[in-house]
Structures are given as structure tokens and as C-alpha cells.
């Protein structure tokens, strides 16, 4: 009787391993589906990046604002960079400490104006002048496309053309300014309090 | 035959009016339900306001950022005020030009720091120091509560207590600073490009 019980062990192990494989495959497939959906928002089949057509200003998380100081001797800000990403990417980052494949980061560039208000000299955004877009690519999908590398797709758009980027090679157009943030996956995380909030 | 047809007219009119009343009642009820849901996020039955417990930094629209200039002779910003509202309220505003009953506006107060970056002297938010909350009330729900008036509920919270506001009378604590924005329902709309975007 005991021996007969033990004889089922290999079958039980096999069934367990089979179920585990199915679970892992389903989970990997789900992740790919989510990534694919995000890539479809911003990238064509050849890796050409366009500005996502979703209403990210209304529906995505504003990670943070960078205020560019007006010239020396003048108070206030002359520009704002407002950075957006998908709410789901924020949640994933808070769990894992990294942005998942398919994360889109949009830095919207604004001119700013300053005025005297009840709280002092205060600046606010006025008009949009363009966008920088980054798309997290953990799979090195487009090795021969000069908009892709270092784990991201990179592109800059003037306000008049959301489909064709002005940037040709991300190493010239994007990477040099992100070099100081190399150790945090090329992102200036210190400006995004929501990612470090306790 | 013709006469007989006409004799149905009062009944047809009556049925039409009945259907119209039902449609209007359903629509009014839906609006009340949405308003109620929003009030429940931030207000108790006596009109006491608390900071909404939702993850508004992740899930709501960032309407705009106000950067407070550092003291004269210094470049950069010493604080940011980042203003959030519900995505549905943004959509409603774009349709009607006003914020619907139950709209919640949260102004999150941040300290800021400035540093030399590749784009110049740049400031970003660091820690949260408190919040101002406004809740649109088109029905004058709490006429005897000093946090309510001029079409809104008004409250300020220190970062350490999200349940009990520091503000007692909105006329002293809030209204004086909003006086210049009286003609735009007490809001500084010029800082919220998403509401005027073509």
C-alpha cells in the first residue's frame, strides 16, 4: 500500500510542474499583452516613435514638474517641464523599484510667465512648445534603429508635429542630458516625489 | 377618422410629458449620485471636510503647477503648489465652462530645491507640507458651517493631520487670497492650460 502511494509521486510532481508552467506562461503572456498595448500607443512596427494619442494630461499621472529659472537677476521661472507616465507604471515602480517594459514617459515642455500674487512672485505654465518621449524597452527590440538604446526608446517632438520626431540619433539628442542620471536608469528620480513617498 | 386621431393627442402629449419627466428625474438622480460620491470622498454629514483618501497624485488630473520664486537676488523656486482635480471634472468643464457640483480641487503644497542641471538652474518639488481643498457646492448645503460659502467648501490641512483642517472660517483662511479670481468662480484658471487647450 505504501509503495503504491509512492508510485504516484512522479505523476503528482509532473502535474505540479505542468500547472506551474501554464501559470508562468499565462503570466508572461499577460505581461507581453500589456507591454504590446503600451508600445502600440507610441511606436510603429519599425520602431518609429510618435506622441501617444491618448489624453495623457488628463488621464496619466503627473510624476513631477521641473521649473527652469528665468535669467539671472530676474525672479521666477521661464519654463516648465511636466513629466507624465501611466498610473499602472507608477504602481509597478512602487512594487519593484523599476519601470516595467512598455512604460511611457512624456516630458511636456511649457513656456511660463511670472506675476505678483498674494503668495509672492509666482510662475505658471502657458503654452506647450514640444515633448520628449521615452519608452521602456527591456527586450532591445530595435537594435538597428537610432532612436533606441540603453533600455529605452527616445524621441523629441516639436509642438507642430506629433508624428515625426526632430531627433535622429538618441545619443546626440537625448542621452548627453541624461548622462548624470545614468545610475537611476537615465531618469532624474529626485523630481518625482510620488515614487519615493512612504 | 381624423377627429378620432386627434382625440388621441392629449394622451400622446401626456405620455410624452411623463417620459420626459422620468428622463429628467433619472438624469437629476444620476447627477446627484455622482455628486454624492464625490462629497463622500471629502465631507462628513455635518459638512466637516477632510483630505480625500484616494490616491489623487496618481489617479487624478494635475491641472497645473505654481512655482513660488525664491527670495529676490536668488535664482530658482522655493516652493511648488500642484493642483489636482477629478478627470471627470476636467471633461465636464471642457463641455460646460464650469466645474460641476462635487468637483474637488486639491492644491498640494511642496517645498522645492534648485540645482544646476544641463538646462540651467532648475527646481523640483521635495516634501509635501500641506494641502488646500475646495469642493464645489452648487446647493448651499451647509449654510451655518464656516467652511462653506461662495459656492465652495474650503479647508487647509497641515501635513500631519489630514482629518482636521487648520482653517476655521474660510473667509479669513481662504477667500482673501482668492479674491482676485472672484470672476472665474474663485479659481486662477490661467494656470491650468488643460482647461483652455484647443
Amino acid at each position: 500500500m505504501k509503495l503504491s502511494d509512492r508510485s504516484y509521486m512522479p505523476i503528482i510532481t509532473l502535474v505540479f510542474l505542468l500547472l506551474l508552467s501554464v501559470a508562468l506562461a499565462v503570466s508572461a503572456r499577460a505581461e507581453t499583452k500589456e507591454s504590446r498595448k503600451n508600445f502600440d500607443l507610441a511606436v510603429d512596427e519599425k520602431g518609429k516613435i510618435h506622441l501617444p494619442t491618448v489624453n495623457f494630461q488628463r488621464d496619466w499621472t503627473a510624476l513631477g514638474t521641473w521649473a527652469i529659472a528665468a535669467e539671472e537677476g530676474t525672479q521666477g521661472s521661464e519654463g516648465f517641464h511636466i513629466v507624465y507616465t501611466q498610473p499602472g507604471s507608477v504602481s509597478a515602480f512602487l512594487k519593484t523599484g523599476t519601470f516595467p517594459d512598455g512604460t511611457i514617459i512624456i516630458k511636456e515642455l511649457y513656456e511660463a510667465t511670472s506675476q505678483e500674487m498674494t503668495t509672492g512672485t509666482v510662475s505658471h505654465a502657458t503654452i506647450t512648445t514640444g515633448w520628449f518621449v521615452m519608452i521602456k524597452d527591456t527586450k532591445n527590440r530595435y537594435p538597428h534603429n537610432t532612436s533606441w538604446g540603453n533600455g529605452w526608446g527616445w524621441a523629441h517632438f516639436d509642438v507642430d508635429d506629433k508624428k515625426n520626431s526632430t531627433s535622429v540619433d538618441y545619443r546626440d539628442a537625448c542621452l548627453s542630458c541624461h548622462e548624470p542620471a545614468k545610475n537611476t536608469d537615465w531618469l532624474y528620480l529626485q523630481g518625482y516625489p510620488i515614487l519615493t513617498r512612504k
Side-chain angles (χ1 to χ4, degrees), chain A residues 14-138:
Chain A
L14 198 68
V15 168
F16 174 77
L17 285 175
L18 261 171
L19 285 174
L20 189 69
S21 316
V22 169
L24 285 173
V26 166
S27 144
R29 201 195 152 118
E31 190 193 318
T32 307
K33 207 173 156 191
E34 182 63 25
S35 298
R36 189 66 258 158
K37 202 182 76 188
N38 288 324
F39 269 81
D40 286 344
L41 286 180
V43 186
D44 76 8
E45 68 279 4
K46 290 180 182 163
K48 186 186 171 190
I49 301 167
H50 57 268
L51 189 73
T53 47
V54 295
N55 192 342
F56 60 87
Q57 296 99 339
R58 187 191 62 192
D59 297 330
W60 287 14
T61 307
L63 281 176
T65 297
W66 303 91
I68 321 300
E71 58 182 289
E72 223 171 324
T74 329
Q75 272 196 300
S77 313
E78 63 178 28
F80 285 107
H81 296 173
I82 305 186
V83 180
Y84 299 88
T85 195
Q86 303 103 314
S89 291
V90 172
S91 301
F93 187 98
L94 289 172
K95 273 185 206 149
T96 66
T98 54
F99 279 118
D101 191 55
T103 292
I104 302 174
I105 310 255
I106 301 175
K107 181 165 78 169
E108 186 161 53
L109 313 178
Y110 279 97
E111 289 182 5
T113 186
S114 305
Q115 60 190 119
E116 292 307 309
M117 297 180 79
T118 49
T119 35
T121 304
V122 180
S123 310
H124 66 82
T126 54
I127 58 162
T128 303
T129 57
W131 302 271
F132 282 97
V133 175
M134 290 172 74
I135 301 141
K136 185 68 195 167
D137 169 32
T138 59

